[in-house]
Amino acid sequence: MGTRSCGHICGESSPGIGEAGITGDWRDYRPVIDLEKCTPSRKNKPSCFQCWLYCPEAVISKTIPVEVNLEYCKGCGICAQVCPAHAITMVPEQGRGSSQEEVG
Amino acid sequence: MDKIETIQIIDGNQAAALGAKLSRVQVIAAYPITPQTPVTEALSEFVERGELDAQYVAVESEHSALAVCTSASIVGARAFTATSSHGLAYMHEMLHWAAGTRLPLVLACVNRAIGAPWNVQNDQQDSISQRDTGWIQIYARNNQEILDSVIQAYRIAEKVYIPVMVCYDGYILSHTEMPVSVPTQKDVDKFLPKYKPHTILDPKNPKNYNLVTLANPRLNAENVLCHGYMEIRYLLQEALQNSRETIIEAGNEFGKLLGRNYGLLWKDNMDDADIAIVAMGSLALEAIVASDMLREEGYKTGVVGLRVFRPFPGREIAEVLRGARTIAVFDKNISYGLEGATCSEIKSALYGSGVNAVIRNFIVGLGGRNVAARELADAVKKSLSPSADNTLNKECPEWICYI
């Protein structure tokens, strides 16, 4: 089936999770969180959440422990940069563009 | 407001402004440029005097003018702009955005030469340089056609969701007064239904237009397969191809209501003609004078005037040129390194049509150079003698100038 049935005649979208497709397969580096260092996990209190606040894709949860939705995480690394506890490391995905195996 | 159709003596710019007013445009954004300036002046006066219920947005450039019109159209307003030459060139990027978003804008292009060198007079290089932006292009031959075409342009644009450029020759039409029948508002209202946008920005139903669209189709959040970039571009081409019928239908309906029929092209004296002269805009009217001179000398000449350049009426051109053995195409533009744009299109339209005529291309009237009927007639006669290398068609166009 072709795309005609979507009914659009120009580029059009509505807000929704995954509207832009599975953007996780853009990722070259994956954020890995060390929960021994992560403040909310270490203190078992809702605190810090700088990664949740700064994530431009809103794929980090404000939970204990903090979780990253790898289906949509593009691997920008902002979370690793802003983490005051240095709990996040950006780990290369196995082979560029092969990250699709890791998601879903 | 006039109850009956009146005849007014007006110039082309006034005709364009009146056309926009009668079309009840709601947003106007334009930046003055010679020779378009009187269009913006007339429209701002209509708004200021309360004769036209529209928002006139003063902008700092043509790029902004078309950006304002694009935004207004997306949220459901009928928008109008007008420009010329460098102004149109400055709009180039937004021309693509308007067509790509399939917004039914109408733009009056007062045809003027483009620099360098600096020149404010007429030729058609400005709009021809924008032919690949996905806009419908209509060329008027007189002031009546300007007014009528602006009104029809909204009906066409809002049906097929393609913006329309109504082009007319600077000074020759824009600053020359001639009698124009001005339809009543009631008749125009009957002809022109309300604008129903395919886009609408509504906070209760948020949408994003012109998102980053990758090459391949994508599944959206509701699991619907949406177009990739190429499918959206395909739909624009498909809509342009199919718009011919809408243009013809609008021209016929206009004729039924107001007595003036319009099509994709027009012809004069072509029934028994074996020599065809083809031109676009007011140049085609001068060609009629030349053709009549040649008829008096015993030549069987006729004229084909191109009204619609995009979508190009290839089938109709091939049909009307069926009996021609010599075709002289006059262009007030040139695709540098090849030939006049209309000549190229005509050649491609005739390919495989069975018409095997001599086709000669003449570049005339650039930068306001006067085009005399006698010169056109002499050029046509020149087309009748074989070229030096005895081939049917010359590789390069001939220029009617003093070099």
Side-chain angles (χ1 to χ4, degrees), chain A residues 1-4 6 8-19 21 26, chain B residues 100 102 198 206-211 217-218 220-221 225 227 231-232 235 238:
Chain A
M1 202 177 76
T3 57
R4 203 186 284 273
C6 75
H8 305 158
I9 59 171
C10 67
E12 186 182 322
S13 71
S14 307
I17 293 168
E19 181 64 28
W26 300 14
Chain B
R102 304 287 298 279
H198 75 89
K207 285 202 189 277
N208 174 25
Y209 290 107
N210 294 326
L211 60 153
R218 71 182 166 98
N220 71 4
L225 191 66
H227 307 304
E231 286 73 26
I232 289 168
L235 289 175
E238 183 182 65

Side-chain angles (χ1 to χ4, degrees), chain B residues 20-252:
Chain B
K21 177 175 174 257
L22 286 165
S23 303
R24 293 187 188 277
V25 296
Q26 294 162 299
V27 172
I28 302 153
Y31 191 83
I33 183 169
T34 303
Q36 156 268 30
T37 305
V39 182
T40 61
E41 290 170 347
L43 286 166
S44 63
E45 281 168 22
F46 291 150
V47 174
E48 220 32 54
R49 284 201 297 257
E51 292 171 17
L52 175 62
D53 185 16
Q55 196 167 348
Y56 189 99
V57 186
V59 286
E60 77 284 14
S61 77
E62 285 86 356
H63 187 281
S64 307
L66 201 51
V68 166
C69 290
T70 299
S71 312
S73 187
I74 282 189
V75 296
R78 186 175 280 165
F80 179 81
T81 189
T83 192
S84 291
S85 182
H86 293 263
L88 188 66
Y90 197 13
M91 279 182 184
H92 177 72
E93 184 197 1
M94 292 312 297
L95 291 174
H96 280 288
W97 279 103
T101 319
R102 304 287 298 279
L103 298 173
L105 301 171
V106 174
L107 180 157
C109 173
V110 191
N111 286 121
R112 166 187 149 181
I114 204 149
W118 200 248
N119 184 292
V120 296
Q121 288 177 282
N122 164 247
D123 66 39
Q124 295 169 344
Q125 193 69 45
D126 52 358
S127 53
I128 288 295
S129 297
Q130 304 299 339
R131 69 181 166 178
D132 297 336
T133 53
W135 284 57
I136 289 172
Q137 285 196 348
I138 295 174
Y139 289 79
R141 63 179 140 156
N142 57 36
N143 295 355
Q144 184 71 63
E145 287 201 2
I146 298 170
L147 188 148
D148 294 350
S149 295
V150 167
I151 298 166
Q152 287 169 52
Y154 278 106
R155 176 157 161 153
I156 297 160
E158 291 170 10
K159 182 143 189 213
V160 297
Y161 294 116
I162 301 170
V164 179
M165 204 178 284
V166 178
C167 309
Y168 55 95
D169 292 308
Y171 295 107
I172 297 166
L173 297 181
S174 72
H175 286 62
T176 306
E177 295 192 333
M178 52 182 88
V180 172
S181 270
V182 180
T184 63
Q185 186 66 62
K186 208 174 142 198
D187 279 344
V188 176
D189 289 346
K190 228 185 285 174
F191 175 75
L192 196 56
K194 263 192 147 63
Y195 168 35
K196 291 196 197 84
H198 75 89
T199 56
I200 194 88
L201 286 176
D202 173 8
K204 284 183 210 127
N205 180 22
K207 285 202 189 277
N208 174 25
Y209 290 107
N210 294 326
L211 60 153
V212 175
T213 303
L214 300 180
N216 288 331
R218 71 182 166 98
L219 280 173
N220 71 4
E222 282 153 13
N223 222 29
V224 174
L225 191 66
C226 296
H227 307 304
Y229 179 86
M230 206 162 165
E231 286 73 26
I232 289 168
R233 287 286 152 180
Y234 174 91
L235 289 175
L236 177 59
Q237 162 69 357
E238 183 182 65
L240 254 300
Q241 284 170 352
N242 295 339
S243 69
R244 295 144 61 108
E245 277 113 66
T246 305
I247 298 168
I248 294 167
E249 186 250 0
N252 287 339

